[in-house]
Amino acid sequence: MAKITLVDDDENIVASVSLALESHGHTVNACYDGAAGLESLQTSPPDLAILDVKMPRMDGMEVLRRLRQTSDLPVIMLTSKDEEIDEILGFNLGADDYIHKPFSQRLLLERVKAVLRRADVQDEDLAAAGPIEPSAKAMKRGKLTLDPERHDSLWDGKPVRLTVTEFLLLQSLAQRPGFVKSRDNLMDAAYDDQVYVDDRTIDSHIKRMRKKFRQVDPTFDAIETLYGVGYRYRES
């Protein structure tokens, strides 16, 4: 089971969500404002973070922005705002999923299970082992190396920090270089059936992923857009 940090200023939501998660074997660390949540996430990283968007001292978007500077920890965002712009901003910042308040405990548990499944949470001993050689399952495509067992992504030998969703999207593209993947294909690769996302979500993840690779190599152009069709990975 997973260690989960829940950050929300609503005590009733914290109590009910914590109870639901703990009843399924998870360990929950609760924080009641963004600043305390960020400190906890940085000093004692969990397997998953659940962040409310609207909070005192520091909102969930700012927590996510700062967290993504150093961590690819899976993150689910909670919001009471039914505004599309919040979702787009959250996905641009690197959120792995979004849940609108009010939500059922069943929905939350399914989303948590889906994100943890995608993350494939590693054993603590493996996480503490430090840099090691790529596993036998590592995939190499030109300058790109993807190791699904360790969630490692390298470009020309340099590490690129990817979120769980970004890693799965890139892995899907790189499996068949030169072949076009539609947005629907990529959604199927990165999300479980019960999670609905639209085209703009995939576009946001691709945009953010390109930016990360260009920080390592400004000439990076391996992910091509075919307008109206989808994306493909170019190996050469």
Side-chain angles (χ1 to χ4, degrees):
M1 293 292 101
K3 295 181 293 183
I4 299 174
T5 294
L6 171 63
V7 189
D8 196 312
D9 62 320
D10 188 321
E11 294 185 4
N12 291 328
I13 288 179
V14 169
S16 62
V17 169
S18 296
L19 182 62
L21 293 171
E22 289 169 350
S23 70
H24 281 68
H26 301 300
T27 301
V28 180
N29 174 40
C31 301
Y32 295 90
D33 66 72
L38 179 62
E39 181 179 0
S40 176
L41 291 168
Q42 292 175 329
T43 57
S44 183
D47 298 314
L48 170 71
I50 301 176
L51 307 178
D52 186 27
V53 171
K54 189 176 181 180
M55 293 185 291
R57 296 181 65 195
M58 184 185 299
D59 66 27
M61 294 296 187
E62 181 62 15
V63 174
L64 178 60
R65 186 188 71 79
R66 297 191 187 190
L67 182 66
R68 282 292 177 251
Q69 292 174 357
T70 58
S71 173
D72 56 7
L73 173 76
V75 173
I76 296 175
M77 303 295 292
L78 305 179
T79 179
S80 56
K81 297 179 180 179
D82 191 16
E83 296 181 6
E84 188 178 67
I85 188 65
D86 290 325
E87 288 197 30
I88 294 173
L89 177 58
F91 282 125
N92 272 322
L93 290 173
D96 291 283
D97 204 350
Y98 238 94
I99 302 178
H100 291 289
K101 297 178 182 179
F103 53 84
S104 69
Q105 300 297 345
R106 180 179 178 182
L107 172 64
L108 174 71
L109 290 169
E110 286 299 323
R111 294 293 182 87
V112 166
K113 183 167 65 175
V115 171
L116 287 173
R117 186 183 300 121
R118 299 204 306 270
D120 190 21
V121 177
Q122 302 295 316
D123 184 85
E124 290 183 4
D125 291 339
L126 177 60
I132 50 181
E133 291 299 313
S135 72
K137 293 185 178 180
M139 174 173 59
K140 294 187 178 182
R141 296 290 186 269
K143 295 182 179 180
L144 175 69
T145 301
L146 289 176
D147 189 340
E149 287 194 351
R150 300 187 174 93
H151 193 74
D152 285 341
S153 173
L154 303 175
W155 183 259
D156 201 16
K158 300 175 183 177
V160 180
R161 300 186 67 91
L162 299 179
T163 66
V164 173
T165 304
E166 291 165 353
F167 188 94
L168 291 173
L169 289 172
L170 182 56
Q171 181 177 245
S172 178
L173 287 169
Q175 282 172 344
R176 300 189 70 190
F179 285 80
V180 179
K181 290 289 185 77
S182 69
R183 289 171 176 82
D184 286 342
N185 294 149
L186 293 172
M187 289 177 200
D188 291 341
Y191 291 91
D192 282 5
D193 292 340
Q194 69 267 31
V195 179
Y196 172 76
V197 294
D198 62 21
D199 289 357
R200 280 167 290 190
T201 299
I202 298 299
D203 293 342
S204 294
H205 283 305
I206 295 291
K207 179 180 178 181
R208 179 177 171 82
M209 191 166 22
R210 282 173 171 153
K211 182 178 179 180
K212 289 182 177 181
F213 277 93
R214 285 170 182 162
Q215 289 174 343
V216 172
D217 179 1
T219 67
F220 175 83
D221 61 356
I223 301 175
E224 294 183 293
T225 302
L226 282 81
Y227 292 99
V229 182
Y231 297 93
R232 69 181 171 196
Y233 180 82
R234 182 172 61 188
E235 187 170 359
S236 59

